[in-house]
Amino acid sequence: MIKKLSLISLFTMLPASFYFAQTTVFAYLKDADGKPVEKAQVDLKGEGNGVSADKIGYFQFVDLKSGHYQIVVTKPNFETKTLEFDVTTEKRKDLGVITLYSALTGADQGLAILDSSGGDEDNNQTSTVGLLQSSQDVFNRTASYDLGFYWFRPRGIDGRTSENMMNGISMAAGDDGNVDFSTWGGLNEITRYPEIATNHAPSEYAFGGTTGVVYKNTKASEYRKGSQLTYSLTNRNYTNRLSYRFSSGMSKSGWAFTGMIARRWAEEGIQEGTFYDAYSGYLGIEKRFSDKHSLTFNAIGSKYTRSTSSPNTQEVYDFRGIHYNSYWGWQGGEKRNERVRKGFQPIFQLSDYWKINKNSQLWTSVSYQFGKEKASRLDWYRALNPSPTYYRNLPSYWQNYKSPSPDQLQNIDERMDWWTNNDQSHTQINWDTLYDKNRNGDLYWNEFGGRRAAYFLVNDVKDDKIWNVATHYTYNFSDKSRFILNLSYQNYTSEQYREVNDLLGADFALNMDAFASNTTGDRFFGKYNLNEDNASVAKKEGDKIGYDYIFRRQEVKVNPALKFSTGKFDVFVSGLFGYTNNNREGKFLHYLYPSSFGKGGDQNFWNVGLKGQVTYRLDGRNFLVYNGAYFTQSPFLNDIYFNARVSGVTTPNIKNVIIDANDLSYVVSTPIFKMRLTGYIVNTQNDTNVQRFFADGIKLSTLSETGDQTPVQEGAFITQVLSDVNKQNMGVELGAQVKITPTLTANGLVSLGQYIYTNNPTVYFASDAVGTFREVNASGNVVSRSYTNMGTATLKNYKQGGTPQESYSLGLRYSSPKYWWIGANWNYFGHSYLDPSPVIRSDRFYTNQNSGVPYDDVNPEELSRVLSPVKLPEAFFFNANIGKSWLMGKYYVLISASVNNILNNRRYITGGFEQTRNVNYVDYAADRDSGNMVFAPKYWYSQGRSYFVNVQFRF
């Protein structure tokens, strides 16, 4: 009697433990039409053994000891299959029929279906725990490849809640929780097949968050033996990519080597004035001492230089189009961009794999990452903002004068001419003007024998040193139960500072605040570092300027887990116990903040959590899967020290984030039809949001010594803190795939969500130009603090921004038996919003600070009108792809091409933000209703039609 059994597919299980019994394991390989697949390579992971299927698709492994095993089935033009099984005391184990699907169809990248022809039910039912952990289930594959290009974010969840791992080591930065993928950018063939636990499902490798665990294993022996040469041509951020990978395979003496080099470059990307140049490399060396023990060394890194593009108001886009970029200008006949990012932070890892005994194994990795990231930008001292899109350089500002003077009328005509006719001496950065200003004799300082820079380039630098140690232990109680223990320690040190990049023809830049008030008449006022004498404030290129501090964070995580099967249930339970120690040490003594210098007190946080997954097998092809999680997450360093550049003050009421997440899925997986239908709800509490921006118009005040309201400097860098934020993300996901004919496949996706704020959090402001705010607190007492309480932000029921809350996708793909394919899909995005600016929805916004009562004409209806959420346009896109592969003896050639946004839709806004300039009702409403809104929201648009052509040669 043939029984349909489901095995977990791609990239979800561990290599085998070794045992002592002797068993022959065999199976048959067939394609989707039931025909034998011959000459496929079948490798036993972790054992160095490989066999080929014969003419009827049969293969076998003999004399296997008892244990837990994993095999990888590969053949050109077919999808790679990774299957797990257990060997106990049987003499022969039949894995049944393994169905391989054409790699050209994109089909069946989730579950592998096996028809078992032998054994009893108990011995052959393999656990389906991790059913949804494959990155290639129907919904996730479509979301990644078809929707991800348009900034679709599944479930609307912040990526900081993910766990991205390289050989067991977390790659998240301790300051902001983000992963810098440019660290290994371009090394696609090394990192492209991760093992994934999606969303808040538990993982074998880490506890994770609400956006999953991505585990990349780069053991040198696990790459296909031979060479691979790839060239790609595109019109996106870069235009060319060239890479070469070589893998030796495991030698008889127990050595394996894999190496890869890659380069990506563009003289100009799709956005005006951008360029790209990146070199990447990987080296993996593995030494197998015995069947029980191996050691792997990995080195990976990418050195990159790339420029960025600006967000803009709709006014600017209407004049110059969606590819306009305000960050560049002409210099010496070449385009020069002020915003350039450079980085090189290589990673070195040593991993030990030890099979302790027949039931247990231990993997341990030690990792060190170091290097600098630099991001340049223009700075200026006692000079006008040089940005072409500075609000006084746009027509809208001058058009708002009700009775303009002749000079103002001239300004309107002048600026309309600039932008209408694209006078690039004004619509782009005028580098010649900046150099001329710096050569002005009025800027000569006798004290330093040279000219002070009015304009200069600076780098914001992160100099990181990160140590990680992680261990992964498994113990198999039986073939149906496993204990897992993950331990990790991270020591994160990051010196963050600003340095002078280019003086633009001047002789020095001052390490002084241009917005400081000179109350003493001393020429040397507003020093960023009071520990410097007057002779040291003149900074040359390469000198530190503005700020300098060190972040330190130590984090320990303990993650025990248990997986077991009983009856028709598979259960996976994972726990978390964690501790973080956080500290800031200032290297500069800011003239306004005594707390800026020296090492402050430690900020410590404890974390606990529990995740669970329960899978119920209705039969071999229908499943119900529940995932639940409740855990806390420590705030990151940038959340704790909200104004770290100039102050050691910690965020008011900073707490652990609490996350409560649940989802329930119905999954169908057959060779003809695959589907996942999921309902989910994710609640987040106590979140903190920190934003830093330049404010040239925000009116803040403090109390004088006599208790009178005193205005403070309007133009300065502002830090905005949104504290105790609660959010809810709930919705439905549906992914489906139907094999209409053996050569025609249909795919579909539906994502319907509601992502909202569920409370009214508190807003705080800190200003680089105001060291202390004197205010009257709720008890009527005057208090002095390094921030001001802007009141409660009325955000409850506002939509969260950053991603569409409604998305659909429908695609068809034809795969010829001659190994060529063509496919197309339609994608729709709707219900996208900008994240609401908290401060303009705070108490301070509608309260007259002089009288302490609301402004005239302010009522709930008027506030609702003025502060209505910014809804972004709906959009749909057509994409297409085509490809062909050839197998010529031992050589394999693949050519593929894709075009996104075929109809060149230029209306889709991928993100943006509301400008925070006018933080009182009178000014904001006047600007909004003027018809020429000066401080309108700024947007990023989709890049329009794009293509990607790829040629791959394996030998």
Side-chain angles (χ1 to χ4, degrees):
M1 177 179 177
I2 297 178
K3 297 185 178 181
K4 304 290 186 179
L5 297 179
S6 154
L7 290 184
I8 299 175
S9 181
L10 298 171
F11 318 114
T12 57
M13 289 295 166
L14 301 174
S17 298
F18 85 103
Y19 294 89
F20 298 100
Q22 305 293 313
T23 300
T24 296
V25 176
F26 62 95
Y28 294 86
L29 301 179
K30 293 186 178 182
D31 64 17
D33 297 323
K35 299 178 182 178
V37 177
E38 62 175 309
K39 296 183 179 179
Q41 180 69 25
V42 186
D43 295 310
L44 200 61
K45 291 187 72 174
E47 299 299 314
N49 298 327
V51 298
S52 294
D54 63 18
K55 291 185 178 180
I56 62 172
Y58 177 83
F59 72 87
Q60 68 177 18
F61 290 97
V62 298
D63 296 336
L64 294 187
K65 301 171 183 178
S66 297
H68 188 76
Y69 288 89
Q70 199 175 37
I71 58 173
V72 180
V73 185
T74 57
K75 184 178 180 179
N77 300 323
F78 285 90
E79 293 175 351
T80 299
K81 288 294 184 186
T82 304
L83 309 172
E84 69 153 53
F85 61 90
D86 293 295
V87 171
T88 53
T89 59
E90 65 269 59
K91 292 297 183 182
R92 291 177 61 82
K93 187 175 185 70
D94 184 359
L95 297 182
V97 175
I98 301 174
T99 303
L100 295 183
Y101 291 87
S102 169
L104 309 181
T105 67
D108 194 44
Q109 294 186 9
L111 296 175
I113 305 300
L114 279 78
D115 296 329
S116 177
S117 58
D120 60 17
E121 181 171 344
D122 288 340
N123 286 339
N124 285 286
Q125 275 196 335
T126 301
S127 170
T128 57
V129 173
L131 182 67
L132 298 181
Q133 294 183 2
S134 170
S135 64
Q136 301 300 325
D137 90 308
V138 179
F139 182 93
N140 290 326
R141 184 176 66 250
T142 305
S144 297
Y145 293 105
D146 294 325
L147 305 189
F149 181 80
Y150 302 103
W151 299 88
F152 172 78
R153 196 169 67 208
R155 304 189 181 183
I157 302 296
D158 185 350
R160 297 198 309 170
T161 65
S162 69
E163 188 81 76
N164 202 296
M165 309 180 76
M166 188 77 72
N167 299 307
I169 301 300
S170 174
M171 293 290 103
D175 57 348
D176 59 12
N178 291 316
V179 176
D180 186 2
F181 294 97
S182 60
T183 301
W184 55 83
L187 301 173
N188 305 46
E189 288 82 356
I190 297 297
T191 62
R192 68 182 303 174
Y193 295 120
E195 305 178 31
I196 296 180
T198 58
N199 304 311
H200 59 269
S203 165
E204 291 201 0
Y205 301 102
F207 185 81
T210 50
T211 49
V213 175
V214 179
Y215 182 92
K216 299 180 178 71
N217 186 353
T218 61
K219 291 179 67 176
S221 64
E222 299 205 356
Y223 295 97
R224 179 192 299 271
K225 183 178 179 179
S227 295
Q228 178 173 303
L229 184 66
T230 304
Y231 173 74
S232 303
L233 177 68
T234 181
N235 68 335
R236 299 175 185 175
N237 293 331
Y238 58 87
T239 55
N240 300 274
R241 175 181 178 266
L242 182 65
S243 70
Y244 171 73
R245 178 187 62 81
F246 169 78
S247 187
S248 68
M250 184 62 70
S251 69
K252 293 182 179 180
S253 58
W255 287 95
F257 301 89
T258 295
M260 182 175 174
I261 55 174
R263 187 190 178 201
R264 294 164 293 157
W265 72 97
E267 291 187 9
E268 184 169 46
I270 194 169
Q271 296 296 105
E272 295 177 357
T274 61
F275 66 88
Y276 202 107
D277 196 13
Y279 296 85
S280 308
Y282 165 79
L283 175 64
I285 304 173
E286 182 176 350
K287 171 58 179 174
R288 178 168 295 168
F289 300 103
S290 68
D291 290 342
K292 301 180 182 180
H293 189 202
S294 67
L295 193 66
T296 298
F297 170 78
N298 290 292
I300 190 168
S302 177
K303 185 176 183 180
Y304 62 87
T305 302
R306 58 184 175 85
S307 55
T308 61
S309 59
S310 62
N312 302 292
T313 62
Q314 190 59 49
E315 175 188 13
V316 173
Y317 285 122
D318 289 342
F319 279 119
R320 302 307 327 144
I322 65 170
H323 295 308
Y324 172 77
N325 178 14
S326 69
Y327 291 157
W328 70 273
W330 292 101
Q331 182 180 345
E334 296 184 357
K335 292 181 177 180
R336 182 179 184 180
N337 194 308
E338 62 150 315
R339 304 291 178 100
V340 178
R341 290 184 173 273
K342 297 182 179 181
F344 182 50
Q345 293 189 306
I347 305 168
F348 297 96
Q349 295 181 331
L350 192 64
S351 300
D352 181 83
Y353 301 84
W354 179 29
K355 298 177 181 179
I356 301 172
N357 56 40
K358 66 179 182 179
N359 294 321
S360 58
Q361 61 182 9
L362 181 69
W363 299 359
T364 302
S365 294
V366 179
S367 174
Y368 180 59
Q369 182 177 6
F370 66 98
K372 295 180 180 181
E373 294 177 329
K374 298 184 177 184
S376 70
R377 58 170 297 146
L378 273 171
D379 202 353
W380 54 95
Y381 187 93
R382 302 286 176 176
L384 296 177
N385 189 325
S387 171
T389 56
Y390 178 57
Y391 67 92
R392 291 176 180 268
N393 292 331
L394 296 172
S396 58
Y397 174 75
W398 303 98
Q399 289 170 338
N400 279 345
Y401 282 93
K402 294 181 179 179
S403 299
S405 67
D407 287 343
Q408 291 163 349
L409 286 171
Q410 181 179 347
N411 285 334
I412 295 173
D413 294 338
E414 185 178 61
R415 282 153 179 77
M416 286 294 294
D417 179 67
W418 294 350
W419 289 96
T420 302
N421 298 313
N422 194 23
D423 180 351
Q424 293 187 341
S425 63
H426 297 284
T427 61
Q428 304 298 154
I429 293 174
N430 194 322
W431 291 100
D432 291 338
T433 298
L434 304 187
Y435 275 86
D436 289 343
K437 179 66 176 177
N438 283 349
R439 296 187 181 105
N440 190 326
D442 294 341
L443 300 179
Y444 190 88
W445 281 42
N446 292 324
E447 295 94 327
F448 306 117
R451 291 185 301 272
R452 169 183 67 79
Y455 298 100
F456 52 101
L457 277 172
V458 295
N459 288 327
D460 290 313
V461 183
K462 284 181 61 179
D463 186 357
D464 293 343
K465 295 176 177 63
I466 309 171
W467 282 98
N468 280 281
V469 180
T471 188
H472 174 78
Y473 173 78
T474 62
Y475 183 86
N476 295 322
F477 296 105
S478 68
D479 60 349
K480 292 187 178 182
S481 61
R482 174 183 298 169
F483 172 73
I484 304 162
L485 180 63
N486 297 303
L487 304 175
S488 66
Y489 168 75
Q490 182 181 85
N491 189 315
Y492 173 88
T493 302
S494 178
E495 183 174 4
Q496 303 191 14
Y497 58 89
R498 178 169 287 175
E499 68 179 10
V500 179
N501 175 320
D502 189 337
L503 290 168
L504 305 182
D507 297 304
F508 63 89
L510 290 177
N511 194 23
M512 292 161 51
D513 185 358
F515 300 101
S517 298
N518 187 357
T519 58
T520 63
D522 185 359
R523 194 173 193 183
F524 297 93
F525 65 97
K527 288 184 181 179
Y528 285 125
N529 186 9
L530 290 177
N531 290 331
E532 292 180 336
D533 57 25
N534 292 344
S536 302
V537 299
K539 300 300 180 181
K540 305 290 186 179
E541 292 174 2
D543 290 343
K544 294 178 181 179
I545 191 172
Y547 65 89
D548 183 11
Y549 62 92
I550 298 174
F551 268 157
R552 295 185 179 91
R553 180 180 176 96
Q554 297 185 77
E555 183 168 24
V556 178
K557 292 181 181 178
V558 180
N559 169 220
L562 181 66
K563 300 175 69 171
F564 63 92
S565 299
T566 175
K568 291 189 174 184
F569 288 93
D570 298 306
V571 181
F572 190 171
V573 180
S574 177
L576 171 68
F577 304 94
Y579 170 78
T580 61
N581 169 265
N582 306 273
N583 186 269
R584 176 195 178 276
E585 180 181 357
K587 309 297 283 185
F588 279 9
L589 177 58
H590 193 277
Y591 72 101
L592 290 175
Y593 296 93
S595 65
S596 60
F597 182 73
K599 187 174 181 180
D602 291 346
Q603 300 294 316
N604 303 320
F605 298 88
W606 291 88
N607 288 319
V608 294
L610 185 67
K611 286 187 175 183
Q613 182 182 80
V614 179
T615 303
Y616 178 70
R617 299 186 298 272
L618 298 170
D619 54 37
R621 302 187 178 198
N622 295 268
F623 310 87
L624 291 176
V625 183
Y626 165 77
N627 289 293
Y630 185 88
F631 59 96
T632 62
Q633 180 173 293
S634 298
F636 297 101
L637 285 159
N638 283 345
D639 298 329
I640 299 170
Y641 303 98
F642 66 95
N643 201 20
R645 292 184 175 185
V646 298
S647 170
V649 174
T650 57
T651 299
N653 304 317
I654 190 72
K655 301 173 185 176
N656 289 64
V657 179
I658 300 174
I659 297 174
D660 175 16
N662 296 273
D663 68 35
L664 181 63
S665 299
Y666 172 55
V667 179
V668 180
S669 183
T670 74
I672 303 299
F673 177 66
K674 299 182 186 300
M675 183 195 75
R676 172 163 72 83
L677 175 63
T678 302
Y680 62 88
I681 182 169
V682 180
N683 292 306
T684 305
Q685 302 177 54
N686 302 337
D687 204 357
T688 300
N689 180 276
V690 179
Q691 293 178 308
R692 185 173 173 82
F693 50 88
F694 183 78
D696 188 22
I698 289 183
K699 298 175 181 177
L700 301 175
S701 63
T702 184
L703 294 180
S704 66
E705 295 294 335
T706 60
D708 298 326
Q709 289 283 346
T710 303
V712 300
Q713 176 70 48
E714 290 186 13
F717 276 96
I718 294 290
T719 302
Q720 175 185 270
V721 181
L722 192 60
S723 179
D724 294 327
V725 183
N726 295 345
K727 297 179 287 188
Q728 183 180 86
N729 296 56
M730 62 184 299
V732 176
E733 297 173 337
L734 172 65
Q737 177 180 286
V738 181
K739 200 169 184 62
I740 301 172
T741 70
T743 57
L744 185 63
T745 304
N747 294 279
L749 174 150
V750 176
S751 177
L752 301 175
Q754 178 178 273
Y755 317 143
I756 61 173
Y757 292 90
T758 58
N759 74 326
N760 296 322
T762 304
V763 188
Y764 300 94
F765 262 27
S767 169
D768 283 10
V770 183
T772 302
F773 288 92
R774 292 170 52 86
E775 299 175 321
V776 178
N777 64 11
S779 302
N781 300 318
V782 176
V783 294
S784 297
R785 296 177 295 205
S786 297
Y787 54 85
T788 181
N789 188 330
M790 301 294 287
T792 300
T794 308
L795 297 185
K796 188 174 183 179
N797 294 324
Y798 267 89
K799 304 286 188 179
Q800 300 173 36
T803 188
Q805 302 198 16
E806 178 179 329
S807 302
Y808 304 93
S809 181
L810 182 62
L812 287 173
R813 188 178 183 95
Y814 174 79
S815 301
S816 168
K818 300 298 184 180
Y819 302 115
W820 63 269
W821 81 90
I822 185 170
N825 67 288
W826 167 85
N827 304 308
Y828 168 86
F829 302 96
H831 293 275
S832 296
Y833 298 84
L834 291 189
D835 229 21
S837 172
V839 69
I840 64 174
R841 292 167 176 86
S842 67
D843 302 340
R844 179 76 71 95
F845 176 75
Y846 59 81
T847 302
N848 188 322
Q849 295 304 299
N850 295 323
S851 63
V853 299
Y855 291 105
D856 295 339
D857 301 325
V858 171
N859 54 59
E861 292 75 19
E862 172 63 5
L863 287 177
S864 178
R865 181 190 72 86
V866 172
L867 301 178
S868 58
V870 179
K871 187 175 182 180
L872 303 178
E874 301 174 352
F876 65 87
F877 304 93
F878 286 101
N879 303 335
N881 57 83
I882 190 170
K884 176 75 170 80
S885 67
W886 296 267
L887 187 61
M888 297 175 289
K890 62 180 180 179
Y891 301 106
Y892 173 79
V893 180
L894 170 67
I895 299 177
S896 61
S898 63
V899 180
N900 284 348
N901 192 6
I902 293 174
L903 300 181
N904 201 23
N905 185 336
R906 293 171 175 247
R907 295 181 59 251
Y908 184 59
I909 297 173
T910 59
F913 54 91
E914 294 182 329
Q915 291 199 73
T916 305
R917 297 286 185 134
N918 295 314
V919 296
N920 64 80
Y921 165 78
V922 173
D923 294 340
Y924 183 87
D927 187 26
R928 184 185 186 277
D929 297 337
S930 66
N932 299 293
M933 191 173 183
V934 177
F935 300 117
K938 287 193 173 184
Y939 306 115
W940 282 278
Y941 270 81
S942 173
Q943 298 178 341
R945 185 186 300 115
S946 67
Y947 62 85
F948 192 93
V949 180
N950 193 68
V951 181
Q952 187 180 101
F953 181 52
R954 296 181 196 161
F955 54 97

